[in-house]
Amino acid sequence: MQRRRIGRSELQVAPLMFGGNVFGWTADEATSFSILDAFVDAGLDFIDTADVYSAWAPGNQGGESETVIGKWFRQSGKRDKIVLATKVAKHPQRKGLSAANIQAAVEDSLRRLQTDYIDVYFSHEDDTETPLAETLGAYQRLIEAGKVRVIGASNYSGARVEEALAISRQHGLPEYQVLQPEYNLYDRAEYETDIEPVAVAHQLGVVVYWSLASGFLSGKYRSQEDLANKARGSRVEKYLNPRGLQILTALDRVAARHGSTPASVALAWLIARPSVTAPIASATSLQQLESLVAAVHLTLTSTDIRELDDASA
């Protein structure tokens, strides 16, 4: 399996990242453990979570996903097989990117994750109230202490990434090595016009979220009836329009040619994009995980990619 470097760091990963937002939310602990074991058994190693996951669920406070992963690390002994990413800035009790907040949040995350280091620590969202130099200085201290290896920026504009990189270079502070924006076959414009040029110019890694457009690109939502009583129904509804259905039709055709599934094809399209290090995708069952794993082994032709590009233009 081809491995990809995260920016200009020494970290290398398989080209698919598992989205841990489902742990402690739509996947219970036992299911989460079985998915994580199968993920590693498939030769994959890149996991994404955040301290805020899944504070939005009734009865949750945030930190549930990290806690599940930490229990799995303890039970499985597989910490050394994983490149682990988590995030700071959005937890209800740990908001923002001040130095004090980062220091407190990282200790919380390390405790829940039952590990002494985080491979990739993301600023989960921009904090315009805190000077970039303060945030980056806090990360420098964590890197020097061995608690963080690489830093990344999620939900930043291209201009703010440029500004952060300039401050890092001016003050000798750690540089963001990887970005985490939204990007998929349907949602393309912002990434391709604003984020991608910056990532390419500075050789930054890119891991993209909502890779399957909240599940829409899996093909399981094709009508309003399909959305009934679904956890992500309100998010998926915006894709049920002529363009969205046109994209699904193209995914169906390409999947049929390869004996594959729309979900695998949608992820393979992202994996094939030169600027993308890895798409992030989630599964709540072993069957769903199979489609994610299959994407890593699916090589689309130039004709396939052109057909998907045209359908989503």
Side-chain angles (χ1 to χ4, degrees):
M1 183 183 300
Q2 179 195 16
R3 297 180 66 76
R4 299 177 174 184
R5 190 175 301 278
I6 298 177
R8 288 169 282 106
S9 77
E10 296 180 355
L11 291 180
Q12 295 189 24
V13 293
L16 179 75
M17 193 177 200
F18 191 91
N21 60 317
V22 296
F23 301 145
W25 176 32
T26 50
D28 62 23
E29 185 173 294
T31 301
S32 299
F33 284 13
S34 66
I35 288 171
L36 286 163
D37 285 330
F39 184 76
V40 172
D41 289 345
L44 302 174
D45 59 0
F46 204 9
I47 294 176
D48 176 77
T49 187
D51 61 357
V52 70
Y53 298 164
S54 50
W56 56 82
N60 285 2
Q61 298 180 340
E64 288 78 17
S65 173
E66 291 182 332
T67 298
V68 169
I69 294 170
K71 289 180 178 179
W72 177 72
F73 282 154
R74 183 184 61 191
Q75 175 179 296
S76 69
K78 295 177 181 176
R79 174 66 183 94
D80 63 343
K81 296 183 181 296
I82 295 299
V83 176
L84 174 68
T86 192
K87 310 183 192 76
V88 57
K90 297 178 73 171
H91 188 283
Q93 278 76 53
R94 294 281 183 256
K95 287 185 174 292
L97 294 172
S98 69
N101 189 66
I102 289 172
Q103 181 59 48
V106 78
E107 297 300 336
D108 289 347
S109 288
L110 289 169
R111 183 177 64 255
R112 287 188 291 259
L113 290 162
Q114 301 193 47
T115 185
D116 55 6
Y117 70 99
I118 294 162
D119 295 295
V120 184
Y121 202 30
F122 278 97
S123 298
H124 203 162
E125 64 183 358
D126 196 2
D127 175 6
T128 57
E129 300 300 313
T130 301
L132 287 165
E134 178 181 340
T135 297
L136 296 165
Y139 289 145
Q140 181 178 43
R141 290 186 285 277
L142 295 181
I143 291 170
E144 290 172 347
K147 295 180 179 182
V148 169
R149 298 178 70 186
V150 169
I151 58 172
S154 178
N155 300 305
Y156 274 49
S157 68
R160 281 289 276 180
V161 173
E162 292 271 19
E163 186 179 352
L165 291 173
I167 288 174
S168 293
R169 292 163 186 173
Q170 180 182 351
H171 297 285
L173 296 170
E175 297 180 21
Y176 287 130
Q177 294 293 334
V178 56
L179 308 180
Q180 187 174 141
E182 178 179 3
Y183 186 50
N184 56 61
L185 256 174
Y186 189 102
D187 301 295
R188 296 181 58 176
E190 183 175 357
Y191 173 73
E192 292 179 9
T193 60
D194 182 45
I195 307 298
E196 187 175 42
V198 175
V200 171
H202 296 282
Q203 298 177 285
L204 304 181
V206 177
V207 293
V208 298
Y209 67 85
W210 295 128
S211 300
L212 293 175
S214 303
F216 173 73
L217 297 175
S218 71
K220 63 183 176 182
Y221 306 114
R222 296 174 187 260
S223 68
Q224 289 291 337
E225 291 72 26
D226 293 334
L227 303 182
N229 301 316
K230 299 297 183 181
R232 294 177 175 172
S234 60
R235 284 193 57 89
V236 175
E237 189 172 12
K238 67 178 182 178
Y239 299 116
L240 285 175
N241 55 50
R243 177 170 172 261
L245 296 175
Q246 178 175 284
I247 292 170
L248 290 186
T249 298
L251 286 169
D252 289 338
R253 288 196 299 264
V254 175
R257 289 202 292 269
H258 289 273
S260 187
T261 65
S264 296
V265 172
L267 293 172
W269 179 84
L270 288 167
I271 291 170
R273 193 165 188 93
S275 65
V276 174
T277 308
I280 305 169
S282 301
T284 56
S285 69
L286 293 177
Q287 182 180 10
Q288 290 178 4
L289 181 65
E290 289 176 3
S291 289
L292 309 190
V293 174
V296 177
H297 303 286
L298 175 57
T299 301
L300 300 180
T301 67
S302 58
T303 300
D304 296 331
I305 292 172
R306 185 164 57 251
E307 182 172 349
L308 294 168
D309 284 344
D310 291 346
S312 63

